[in-house]
Amino acid sequence: MALLAALEEAEEAASSASGELKGSIRVAAPVSFAVHCLAPAVGQFLERHPDVSLSIDTDDRMVDLVRDGFDLAIRIAQLPDSSLIARRLVTVRHACVASPALLEHLGTPQKPDDLSRFPGVVYSNREEASYWKFANDVVPSVNTRLDFANGDAVREAAIAGLGVAMLPTFIVHDAVRSGALSIVLAKHMRPPIAMYAVHPSTRHQSARARAFIDFLVDKFRGDPPWDRGLFSDGTADELSI
């Protein structure tokens, strides 16, 4: 470990002296965000910095950055107090979605409690009460019949008509625009949360990691492209964080 740290320090010093970024960046990111948003974006960063490599670990678990040797992690959450330093990247909104066939069969819910007559598909990395929470902390009783530890799998099950689901809009926007899923209860949706890039404050942060976080902040700032025009009633435009 000491030898590795010394090599990293030497690499960082050489990079700083030349004014060019060199070396690798280890990033932990949620699977679905990495697939839908991060992977299409990072090419621009690599093109700007040809001597930098990215290693992106896609896992929805909450990793220990220091113990597991990550330079930074991307997290979608209300962050607890910790020693980590966080920079806000983008607003994340959720949508309650169901297939048109399921809505034709069971009707369109008008209020959260109407979901009691629906089967549910759940993202299992969240507590169910938190997953189904709407505005004003309303948590309807939903008959959960299926759960996955991956948001894309939840979406596909919802498209197949296996239940109603609650997912970030960056996962469902294409399915909504194509008509494979419909958004319901938009006016009852809980407030949006933020996505952050977090990094340890207990060790020196490399110039390349700082540059990558700066890139992400710039890339995702403002109204996320996946939300534009998604809510026909303008609900998304009314929400801010």
Side-chain angles (χ1 to χ4, degrees):
M1 291 296 291
L3 178 59
L4 179 60
L7 289 172
E8 289 177 347
E9 288 180 6
E11 186 179 61
E12 178 70 16
S15 177
S16 299
S18 67
E20 298 177 358
L21 299 179
K22 297 180 180 180
S24 63
I25 307 170
R26 289 199 71 210
V27 182
V31 177
S32 295
F33 181 75
V35 169
H36 295 286
C37 307
L38 192 58
V42 297
Q44 187 177 357
F45 178 81
L46 293 174
E47 185 177 355
R48 291 178 188 173
H49 307 289
D51 293 323
V52 172
S53 61
L54 286 169
S55 176
I56 300 176
D57 185 284
T58 53
D59 196 323
D60 288 350
R61 66 189 172 91
M62 193 76 74
V63 300
D64 185 312
L65 270 66
V66 176
R67 183 195 64 203
D68 297 333
F70 287 99
D71 294 290
L72 64 125
I74 296 173
R75 291 182 177 167
I76 307 169
Q78 299 285 356
L79 295 179
D81 291 336
S82 74
S83 61
L84 297 177
I85 296 174
R87 288 188 64 186
R88 185 184 178 282
L89 297 180
V90 70
T91 297
V92 176
R93 297 179 175 91
H94 285 73
C96 187
V97 294
S99 71
L102 186 67
L103 295 176
E104 183 178 355
H105 176 59
L106 295 176
T108 300
Q110 301 300 312
K111 59 185 184 299
D113 284 343
D114 291 345
L115 294 181
S116 61
R117 68 176 186 268
F118 282 78
V121 185
V122 170
Y123 174 64
S124 59
N125 283 320
R126 293 192 66 170
E127 293 183 1
E128 195 162 336
S130 173
Y131 176 83
W132 289 118
K133 184 181 291 185
F134 285 82
N136 301 314
D137 294 330
V138 172
V139 181
S141 176
V142 183
N143 179 24
T144 299
R145 300 180 58 196
L146 183 62
D147 68 73
F148 293 95
N150 174 263
D152 289 271
V154 172
R155 181 199 61 223
E156 293 305 302
I159 290 172
L162 300 181
V164 65
M166 184 87 78
L167 288 167
T169 53
F170 65 77
I171 295 178
V172 300
H173 68 102
D174 282 338
V176 171
R177 291 191 172 99
S178 72
L181 288 174
S182 298
I183 294 177
V184 298
L185 302 171
K187 289 187 176 296
H188 297 274
M189 188 50 52
R190 60 179 180 258
I193 58 176
M195 177 183 296
Y196 299 91
V198 299
H199 63 87
S201 61
T202 55
R203 65 176 182 176
H204 176 65
Q205 186 187 28
S206 67
R208 57 187 177 273
R210 288 195 300 273
F212 186 60
I213 293 175
D214 289 343
F215 168 80
L216 294 177
V217 170
D218 183 67
K219 189 71 177 176
F220 295 113
R221 74 169 68 248
D223 187 29
W226 50 83
D227 277 350
R228 293 171 191 160
L230 192 63
F231 296 85
S232 58
D233 61 0
T235 303
D237 297 331
E238 299 170 1
L239 297 173
S240 61
I241 190 169

